[in-house]
Amino acid sequence: MGIKDLLRFMKPYIEPIHIKKYAGKRVGIDAYSWLHKGAYSCSMEICLNTEGDKKFQYLNYFMHRINLLRHHNIVPVVVFDGGDISCKDATGQERSRKRKANLDLAMEKLKEGNRNAASELFQRAVSITPSMAYQLIQILRSEDIEFVVAPYEADAQLAYLSSLEPANGGIIAVISEDSDLLAYGCPAIVFKMDRYGNGEEILLHKVFESATCVPSFRHFDKELFIGMCVLAGCDFLPSVPGIGIAKAYSLVSKYRDLDRVLSMLKFEKGRQMPEDYPESFRKAVAVFQHARIYDADSESLKHMKPLPEKLLQSLDGDLDFLGPEIPPSIAAAIAKGNLDPTTMEAFDHFPSSRPHMNPSSKIQTFGTLSRQEATAVSKSESCFSIISSHKTGKEKSKGKLLYFAVTGKKAMVEKSNYFNEATELEKL
């Protein structure tokens, strides 16, 4: 996922932080990164589609982290991936092939009785589907958590939101595991956030301004940085054999012109460089700058940044690699979580996409904080910010009934888990 070895290469620019740094701010969440991490704990149950509640543990994982952000007075803005773009087809097919191979191996190990080996392989085989995302969307709706489903890449949507002022629906930072966000130009990214809120931050302005860090990017602009990332290998274009992140940096730093870099690469690599590589390279760079995203104001698609005339002429009007155009009504329905972004079909038309749960069972929307986690939370902060969903104090007192959105019914739960969690923290 992302730019090969980029985060390791950027290590001098990474600083440890706690997420409470963003208290009072709007922060974007790369939904699929948390869904993937949450699915590891129930990957076998998801792959085998077993009965019971354990296969929905990924929802607990996700909402626990949403809960953590709200405790620190952070406004989460959750962004989901949409459909695939054509220049990512090869990457998608390769990932599907690997997942299928791991699933077959997992089934073999399970038949042999080697459950531990099978569990590891199931983790590599698990895939996050739009229907799984829809189950989470229903919970987010019930909790008044802001979200949007991108028409295509969530990273592009997050980068676009990062370019907006908070008053206009923008965000100040992004939480993700995907290094692509650096190439997309997100100004502040938090990686590897743990269950206590500790993470690693990269600030893009420091990357371009630092006079002491090595490697230095003081003579790079954003386009050169994107070019370096594409050369190193990304989801849209594999690298030329023998070109990794260090070599890509060296070439761009030396020539400071992407056309010259491509010419020298052709001279050095000869037949190892595919004939169509320069064209594919320019398209990949364009995706990081001009991918189609959803604009909430116009309720339609637009480009992250306007396309320059020179690029339009070179592409001869073929812009589908940036994400095909979608009618505004369809784009809005996808963004609001009403349509499957891959099939364009309404989720509500498929009851089977919802988990079949016993309405009378006690469902944990997210797990209760452990003693260690609870002590990590500042005692001076109000624990009731955890259950805040823009409700009044009177409404909070009705915590004995929780309408669990995932079932698609008003499933009554005897006691709100949000209320339980807040009460435990208050006691501590």
Side-chain angles (χ1 to χ4, degrees):
M1 180 190 289
I3 313 300
K4 185 172 173 57
D5 295 327
L6 180 61
L7 291 183
R8 177 188 57 78
F9 193 68
M10 302 294 291
K11 189 174 181 181
Y13 298 94
I14 296 174
E15 296 182 0
I17 66 151
H18 191 277
I19 200 64
K20 66 184 177 183
K21 170 185 175 178
Y22 291 104
K25 307 296 184 182
R26 290 166 55 84
V27 173
I29 312 298
D30 180 0
Y32 271 53
S33 71
W34 280 4
L35 286 170
H36 274 289
K37 292 174 76 173
Y40 290 151
S41 65
C42 53
S43 56
M44 184 182 299
E45 290 75 16
I46 292 173
C47 289
L48 299 177
N49 195 26
T50 59
E51 293 295 325
D53 297 342
K54 187 176 180 181
K55 67 180 176 184
F56 303 113
Q57 284 299 315
Y58 66 92
L59 299 174
N60 292 351
Y61 178 99
F62 200 105
M63 291 308 297
H64 174 86
R65 277 152 181 74
I66 289 291
N67 174 48
L68 177 67
L69 298 185
R70 291 198 291 179
H71 173 75
H72 289 294
N73 195 32
I74 295 167
V75 179
V77 180
V78 182
V79 179
F80 293 86
D81 278 299
D84 290 328
I85 54 178
S86 59
C87 57
K88 201 173 178 179
D89 285 347
T91 299
Q93 290 168 8
E94 177 62 14
R95 288 175 180 169
S96 295
R97 185 194 64 78
K98 288 181 178 179
R99 283 195 294 266
K100 175 67 167 59
N102 284 317
L103 181 60
D104 292 341
L105 286 172
M107 296 302 292
E108 288 180 16
K109 294 297 181 183
L110 197 61
K111 288 178 182 178
E112 293 170 5
N114 191 343
R115 197 172 181 86
N116 289 336
S119 181
E120 290 182 14
L121 290 163
F122 279 125
Q123 289 180 357
R124 298 176 199 168
V126 72
S127 175
I128 305 301
T129 64
S131 63
M132 292 169 67
Y134 179 62
Q135 291 157 19
L136 174 62
I137 283 171
Q138 293 181 87
I139 297 176
L140 298 179
R141 282 174 178 157
S142 72
E143 284 299 302
D144 293 329
I145 303 295
E146 189 176 336
F147 72 90
V148 62
V149 181
Y152 300 107
E153 294 290 301
D155 295 341
Q157 189 73 36
L158 286 161
Y160 171 68
L161 293 176
S162 296
S163 71
L164 301 178
E165 292 296 325
N168 297 326
I171 55 178
I172 204 74
V174 175
I175 301 173
S176 178
E177 303 300 326
D178 197 339
S179 59
D180 274 354
L181 286 159
L182 287 168
Y184 276 108
C186 286
I189 311 163
V190 178
F191 299 100
K192 300 179 181 178
M193 193 190 89
D194 65 18
R195 64 196 304 179
Y196 310 113
N198 302 302
E200 298 178 350
E201 180 187 62
I202 295 183
L203 300 177
L204 206 55
H205 76 90
K206 288 187 176 181
V207 171
F208 293 117
E209 295 172 4
S210 175
T212 57
C213 285
V214 178
S216 173
F217 293 93
R218 292 190 72 192
H219 301 295
F220 277 52
D221 58 20
K222 289 184 179 180
E223 185 170 17
L224 290 178
F225 186 85
I226 293 169
M228 178 197 73
C229 293
V230 175
L231 284 172
C234 64
D235 290 346
F236 311 127
L237 184 67
S239 64
V240 173
I243 304 296
I245 187 65
K247 180 65 174 177
Y249 169 80
S250 177
L251 287 168
V252 175
S253 181
K254 181 177 180 180
Y255 297 106
R256 300 182 193 173
D257 182 278
L258 296 182
D259 288 332
R260 288 191 66 193
V261 168
L262 290 173
S263 298
M264 291 306 301
L265 199 59
K266 179 64 177 175
F267 178 75
E268 288 182 14
K269 294 297 179 179
R271 292 183 179 179
Q272 285 185 296
M273 180 174 165
E275 285 295 325
D276 64 347
Y277 185 85
E279 180 185 357
S280 299
F281 174 87
R282 292 186 180 95
K283 285 185 174 181
V285 170
V287 171
F288 284 116
Q289 295 174 309
H290 308 291
R292 281 195 170 107
I293 49 82
Y294 179 74
D295 176 50
D297 286 341
S298 64
E299 294 195 331
S300 63
L301 299 194
K302 62 184 283 188
H303 294 284
M304 285 172 57
K305 297 176 183 176
L307 288 157
E309 190 62 34
K310 183 179 177 181
L311 180 62
L312 281 170
Q313 290 175 357
S314 68
L315 296 172
D316 196 25
D318 179 17
L319 303 179
D320 278 0
F321 71 94
L322 298 171
E325 186 61 87
I326 301 174
S329 59
I330 302 296
I334 290 171
K336 295 171 184 177
N338 297 325
L339 290 185
D340 184 321
T342 58
T343 65
M344 306 295 180
E345 295 175 329
F347 282 113
D348 287 344
H349 290 175
F350 300 95
S352 60
S353 69
R354 300 185 181 120
H356 298 288
M357 297 179 179
N358 182 357
S360 64
S361 64
K362 294 183 180 180
I363 308 297
Q364 264 198 307
T365 312
F366 51 80
T368 304
L369 292 179
S370 66
R371 183 181 298 274
Q372 185 181 0
E373 289 174 274
T375 56
V377 178
S378 171
K379 295 177 183 178
S380 64
E381 296 170 332
S382 169
C383 61
F384 280 93
S385 64
I386 291 175
I387 60 171
S388 172
S389 298
H390 312 291
K391 295 184 176 72
T392 65
K394 185 177 179 180
E395 287 170 313
K396 287 176 187 174
S397 69
K398 297 177 182 178
K400 293 184 179 180
L401 298 180
L402 175 66
Y403 294 108
F404 190 62
V406 174
T407 61
K409 302 174 182 178
K410 292 183 177 179
M412 201 159 54
V413 180
E414 292 181 5
K415 194 168 186 178
S416 168
N417 292 293
Y418 296 145
F419 191 81
N420 278 348
E421 184 171 327
T423 303
E424 289 181 21
L425 284 173
E426 187 180 35
K427 288 178 181 177
L428 287 168

